[in-house]
Amino acid sequence: AQSVAQPEDQVNVAEGNPLTVKCTYSVSGNPYLFWYVQYPNRGLQFLLKYITGDNLVKGSYGFEAEFNKSQTSFHLKKPSALVSDSALYFCAVRRNFGNEKLTFGTGTRLTIIP
Amino acid sequence: DVKVTQSSRYLVKRTGEKVFLECVQDMDHENMFWYRQDPGLGLRLIYFSYDVKMKEKGDIPEGYSVSREKKERFSLILESASTNQTSMYLCASSLPGEGGRPQHFGDGTRLSIL
């Protein structure tokens, strides 16, 4: 079985401050990890993924995420938040073998305060 | 860019009706997926398909069926709609294989069952 936990339903950050959106996971074997963003009335857009290698991965719109195997975490980060980063963020996990079924977290609503 | 098109953005149907949700992708992706999105529950996988005429159950297949007669089209069918199937439905597609190919999402169909 595989699962994802996003412990915060809502995160508020002042514009220009660093932001972190938390994600922990559980999966058999080594994980493939993903972050997606959803803007109002739209589908999900892919931000970044961890497959293997460097624990810090960089993605779209200046976002990055740090893979921590010992803590089974994959937190999303950005050094300086923009108002346009306000959206719903989803973390997802799958095994690195077998079927390609993704399991998503429940989502974190990020609000950047001007 | 990959384009995943869902035939309706909003749909209102009555209890007991047979409902068809259509999804088309234009990038020759082998994998296609149907999810439902509910507040506080994130995305849950209903069905997925690895190839034409192939389908596998996801986490919540009860009350749903799917059809994939052509590679580019994946249909979700609500055999006898019920009010608890009121939700946002998202279709996605991806390439298969190693490396954790990201899924590409349509903009969703917001379905209301009255």
Side-chain angles (χ1 to χ4, degrees):
Chain A
Q2 54 196 39
S3 64
V4 172
Q6 293 182 244
E8 300 157 318
D9 292 336
Q10 172 85 37
V11 171
N12 298 324
V13 176
E15 186 179 18
N17 282 5
L19 69 88
T20 299
V21 182
K22 295 179 181 177
C23 170
T24 58
Y25 68 91
S26 174
V27 70
S28 301
N30 292 319
Y32 287 165
L33 292 154
F34 303 80
W35 276 102
Y36 287 84
V37 60
Q38 185 179 34
Y39 298 102
N41 298 315
R42 302 298 303 274
L44 276 67
Q45 295 179 30
F46 168 72
L47 275 181
L48 51 79
K49 67 180 180 182
Y50 171 82
I51 304 299
T52 187
D54 194 348
N55 289 342
L56 186 65
V57 295
K58 295 185 184 297
S60 306
Y61 312 121
F63 283 94
E64 57 190 27
E66 186 168 12
F67 172 65
N68 187 317
K69 188 172 184 178
S70 62
Q71 296 186 5
T72 61
S73 67
F74 189 56
H75 300 331
L76 181 70
K77 300 182 180 185
K78 188 173 182 181
S80 179
L82 301 173
V83 172
S84 57
D85 293 330
S86 298
L88 188 56
Y89 290 81
F90 289 96
C91 182
V93 69
R94 57 163 281 218
R95 298 177 303 181
N96 69 344
F97 65 95
N99 72 54
E100 299 185 42
K101 174 184 163 184
L102 270 182
T103 298
F104 286 83
T106 53
T108 298
R109 185 163 300 282
L110 176 65
T111 301
I112 308 303
I113 302 165
Chain B
D1 277 353
V2 176
K3 188 158 181 66
V4 178
T5 303
Q6 297 185 229
S7 55
S8 304
R9 293 299 304 273
Y10 301 94
L11 206 54
V12 180
K13 296 292 182 180
R14 296 203 173 275
T15 302
E17 281 192 68
K18 190 169 187 176
V19 181
F20 293 85
L21 302 184
E22 306 288 346
C23 175
V24 177
Q25 50 94 3
D26 66 357
M27 284 301 292
D28 205 35
H29 285 176
E30 279 82 359
N31 299 334
M32 295 191 76
F33 307 82
W34 273 108
Y35 296 90
R36 63 177 283 175
Q37 181 180 4
D38 299 289
L41 297 178
L43 274 73
R44 293 178 291 167
L45 182 64
I46 304 171
Y47 268 97
F48 57 109
S49 170
Y50 290 129
D51 203 348
V52 175
K53 296 190 185 297
M54 297 186 70
K55 60 184 179 184
E56 289 198 30
K57 293 180 179 179
D59 298 319
I60 52 164
E62 296 79 17
Y64 303 94
S65 62
V66 290
S67 172
R68 193 160 180 207
E69 297 296 319
K70 293 185 178 181
K71 191 175 186 179
E72 67 271 20
R73 185 180 297 272
F74 192 35
S75 302
L76 180 69
I77 304 157
L78 285 65
E79 297 291 344
S80 177
S82 63
T83 55
N84 63 10
Q85 293 178 309
T86 291
S87 186
M88 169 72 91
Y89 290 87
L90 293 168
C91 175
S93 71
S94 71
L95 287 169
E98 298 300 318
R101 310 293 180 100
Q103 294 181 16
H104 300 265
F105 284 80
D107 284 339
T109 295
R110 190 167 293 280
L111 175 64
S112 296
I113 307 296
L114 304 180

